[in-house]
Each structure stands twice: as structure tokens, then as C-alpha cells.
Amino acid sequence: MKEQLLERFIRYAKIDTESDERSTSTPSSSKQWDLLHLLKEELNTIGLVDITLDENGYLFATLPANTDKEIPVIGFLAHVDTSPDYSGKNVNPQRHDNYDGSDLVLNENTVLSVSRFPELNNYIGQTMITTDGTTLLGADDKAGIAEIMTAMAYLQEHPEIKHGKLRVAFTPDEEIGRGPHKFDVDAFGVDFAYTMDGGPLGELQYESFNAAGARVTFKGTNVHPGTAKGKMVNSILRAQEFQAAMPALEVPELTEGREGFIHLMDIQGSVEKTVLEYIIRDFDKESFDARKQLFFDTAAQMKSDYGEDSIVLELEDQYFNMGEKIKPHMEIVDIISEAFDKLGISPIVEPIRGGTDGSQLSYMGIPTPNIFAGGENFHGRYEFVSAETMEKAAQVIIEAVKLYESRA
């Protein structure tokens, strides 16, 4: 299984599928179709049925039940796109067999060092896949795709393993928050699902951030600075005033665990016009609402001080804490914990400081926890994944469907 996983993963990783947050199409980048079409062919090759790829890039398939027992229909999902935070073009995965615990030289200028990334010590003796130091790797979430494909192929090749109807979905644009936006829940037709989109071995997540995005535009007036007194309005300074009202210590680089934050992501500005882009994150709904209210209150105060047209606030919710929808169905988390136990995996149950497709799907009627896929240091040149961890993830899928059948 391990070599099949590696072959699949490396092949998928070499396909550029970077999503584009500036695009309004679905998928946001046409190159995502390259992997989707390849996966459609492979699903057919390994014997899945009811394979559909719709006009928006959502690929569904079925592994039919091989038992007459009444078993919930379970889905497994992964996303095809990679993050636009770092280049996904010309990915050149590097294989390191029997990793010895030393620094990994990615290229003459880039070293994956143990001192900087001590988690490497967890992988001594394993087969490691890294970048060549010039791109991301794409384990987020091509590791998840490879694990699902390998698990489905294994179940198809081993009909003695009894299971209910299984559904597979590969989706576009998760990295830019749009993964489920055009997902056809009725067509997918499952009772529960799991995203294979977590990090290191043992991660099992059923809570995520509440998330919103904000764009704040400040209007100014540009006049020659020599004659500007009483005339110039510097939108950059207005933007600084707005940012100064945000909590300085509640930012990503100073928070962890269940702590929320307000993250200023981008500034584009001149005297005439300045735009601030934010994301707002919190696990607690009341705190989340309070953070959003701070934006509204600050904007209202600045409108009062400088005029109604001086500032434009656009704020939209992106997704909510999926725990609210999953907690009434904790049996779907418990069964994965049992699968972990059977495979000797110690569960790491903690909230996602981010979101997955499951964050939105859980509110669309499909409770969807998240299972580890194996990668670390996502979205950058230091990303890596262990073949042994990917193999464990594929085994979790197989063990979970066996448990659902045995309990029916």
C-alpha cells in the first residue's frame, strides 16, 4: 500500500492546481481541471461507479455496498487545489528513504533543519517527501486524495471486507474558502462524511473557527503637499487610525489553542484611497460576534468624525464552528477514535485553527469531522509528508468502514 500511495501522491503533486482568490469562476483556476479529469479516469479504472464531474469541478463517485446490512452512507472528501500563498508550479517532490534525523538539504539555499523544525524528530526511519525548496509540496490536500483513492482501491480489491455504500468527493477551491459553495448535498447523498485534510498523525478534529472576512476602504483627497493645509485628507492615516482600534495582542502570531484573533492580511494604499483586508477568527460565537461588532463600531465612529463617505466597511461571514453541528452526532467521531485505537494511533483531538470543507458542509446538512492526512508546514517550501503517516490515514478509512459494518 505504501508504494501505491507514494506513486499516486507524487503524481498528483506534480500537477499545478493553485487556486486563485481573485477569480470569480468555479473552479477559480482552469488548471484544477487537469487533476479532476485525471482522478475521474482513475476512479473508473479502480472500479467505482456513479462517477460525475459537474460544470463547477465537483467530482463524485460511489463504491457500492457489498453487504445487505442497513449501514449509513459515508463520504470521504479531499480538495484538489493548493494554496495561492506559495507557488504550486513545477512542483518537484524529493523522496528521502529511511530518514536519519539530520537536516534535509532541499537546494543550495534552502535547508529543512531540525533546529527550526523539531517535529522532524518524529519521522526518523520513515520515508519522507519534501519539496525542492522552490515551491510548496501540495500534501494539503493531495495526500488526502491519494489516501482516499488508495483506500477505495484496496476495498475494491478485497471484497471480503464488508462495507456499506461509500461516496467520494474531490472538490475545488478549498484553500480560498469556496470549497462547498456549489457542492450539491442532495447529489452526494450521504449521512455523514469525513475530510482527509488534517496534519500530523493522530489529528482528529470536529471543531473549527468561526470565520469572517472584512474589507475596509478609506477615501481621501490628494492635494499638492505644499498647498495641502485644510484640503488634503490622507486615507493612509485614516486606515492607521482604524487599525489602531484593533486589539494589538490578539493577532495570529501571538495566539494559540482556542484563542481568537483579528488578522490584517493586506494593505493597498495611497493618499487618495487605502484598502485594508482582514480575516476575523474565533471559536466562541459570542467572542466572534464581539470582534465583528468592533469593526462596525469603529467604522461608525469614523463616519461620525469624518463623514458618511469617508469609510466603507464590507464584512461577510465565511464559515462557522462545525462543532455545533457535529456534537449532536459524536458517534461519528467516536468510531474514528476506535479505528485509531485498533491501529495503535494516539488521537490528537483539538480544534482546527482554520477551516476545512467540513466547516461549511456541516452547516449544509452533512456533519463532517476532519482526519489527519499527514502533511506538515503547509503552504510553503518547507512542507513535507511521511509515507508511513499517509499509509496510516488510508488504513483509518478502511478500519472505519469495517467498524460501521460490524455495528450495523
Side-chain angles (χ1 to χ4, degrees), residues 122-282:
N122 298 327
Y123 298 96
I124 293 173
Q126 299 188 27
T127 300
M128 303 281 283
I129 307 298
T130 69
T131 75
D132 67 359
T134 63
T135 68
L136 51 65
L137 180 60
D140 181 12
D141 188 26
K142 290 168 184 174
I145 296 172
E147 291 152 9
I148 292 170
M149 293 292 287
T150 301
M152 293 303 112
Y154 186 90
L155 290 168
Q156 186 74 316
E157 293 164 3
H158 293 81
E160 71 277 9
I161 300 175
K162 301 303 178 184
H163 56 81
K165 179 180 178 180
L166 305 177
R167 291 281 276 163
V168 168
F170 299 125
T171 62
D173 293 337
E174 188 270 355
E175 294 291 359
I176 56 174
R178 304 181 202 163
H181 282 195
K182 297 183 180 180
F183 191 101
D184 191 333
V185 169
D186 291 335
F188 195 43
V190 301
D191 296 292
F192 310 111
Y194 300 94
T195 48
M196 304 300 297
D197 194 19
L201 179 71
E203 280 195 351
L204 174 56
Q205 300 154 324
Y206 62 89
E207 289 186 89
S208 62
F209 274 138
N210 295 292
R215 177 185 176 93
V216 194
T217 303
F218 304 86
K219 299 179 181 179
T221 303
N222 198 9
V223 178
H224 189 286
T227 58
K229 186 173 182 180
K231 301 174 185 177
M232 177 183 285
V233 175
N234 192 332
S235 74
I236 299 172
L237 298 180
R238 295 275 175 86
Q240 288 179 334
E241 181 179 340
F242 185 93
Q243 170 59 20
M246 300 296 111
L249 300 180
E250 297 174 13
V251 292
E253 59 268 36
L254 297 176
T255 53
E256 62 183 353
R258 301 188 68 87
E259 298 169 331
F261 58 75
I262 292 171
H263 179 33
L264 176 59
M265 296 179 61
D266 187 65
I267 302 174
Q268 299 291 328
S270 64
V271 171
E272 193 77 21
K273 178 182 177 182
T274 299
V275 179
L276 304 182
E277 300 272 359
Y278 291 90
I279 60 172
I280 305 164
R281 300 288 189 265
D282 210 301

Side-chain angles (χ1 to χ4, degrees), residues 173-393:
D173 293 337
E174 188 270 355
E175 294 291 359
I176 56 174
R178 304 181 202 163
H181 282 195
K182 297 183 180 180
F183 191 101
D184 191 333
V185 169
D186 291 335
F188 195 43
V190 301
D191 296 292
F192 310 111
Y194 300 94
T195 48
M196 304 300 297
D197 194 19
L201 179 71
E203 280 195 351
L204 174 56
Q205 300 154 324
Y206 62 89
E207 289 186 89
S208 62
F209 274 138
N210 295 292
R215 177 185 176 93
V216 194
T217 303
F218 304 86
K219 299 179 181 179
T221 303
N222 198 9
V223 178
H224 189 286
T227 58
K229 186 173 182 180
K231 301 174 185 177
M232 177 183 285
V233 175
N234 192 332
S235 74
I236 299 172
L237 298 180
R238 295 275 175 86
Q240 288 179 334
E241 181 179 340
F242 185 93
Q243 170 59 20
M246 300 296 111
L249 300 180
E250 297 174 13
V251 292
E253 59 268 36
L254 297 176
T255 53
E256 62 183 353
R258 301 188 68 87
E259 298 169 331
F261 58 75
I262 292 171
H263 179 33
L264 176 59
M265 296 179 61
D266 187 65
I267 302 174
Q268 299 291 328
S270 64
V271 171
E272 193 77 21
K273 178 182 177 182
T274 299
V275 179
L276 304 182
E277 300 272 359
Y278 291 90
I279 60 172
I280 305 164
R281 300 288 189 265
D282 210 301
F283 292 102
D284 180 79
K285 187 65 164 58
E286 290 186 6
S287 295
F288 177 60
D289 290 340
R291 292 182 191 281
K292 292 189 293 182
Q293 191 61 47
L294 177 61
F295 274 73
F296 291 120
D297 291 345
T298 305
Q301 183 61 55
M302 292 187 72
K303 286 183 179 184
S304 175
D305 292 343
Y306 304 120
E308 188 68 26
D309 295 334
S310 63
I311 178 174
V312 176
L313 170 62
E314 303 165 86
L315 191 153
E316 291 187 355
D317 290 325
Q318 296 170 322
Y319 56 85
F320 298 105
N321 188 338
M322 62 187 183
E324 181 176 333
K325 300 298 181 181
I326 294 176
K327 285 178 181 177
H329 306 281
M330 283 300 290
E331 67 277 5
I332 68 175
V333 176
D334 294 340
I335 208 162
I336 299 300
S337 294
E338 186 174 341
F340 280 15
D341 184 62
K342 287 182 175 293
L343 294 167
I345 301 170
S346 298
I348 304 170
V349 181
E350 55 188 25
I352 309 169
R353 288 185 61 81
T356 68
D357 281 347
S359 303
Q360 296 178 57
L361 288 171
S362 293
Y363 281 83
M364 295 166 66
I366 307 175
T368 308
N370 189 43
I371 299 171
F372 70 91
E376 300 215 36
N377 300 336
F378 290 151
H379 300 185
R381 58 183 172 170
Y382 297 108
E383 185 180 3
F384 67 85
V385 68
S386 152
E388 284 77 6
T389 303
M390 286 196 292
E391 185 175 31
K392 285 287 190 183

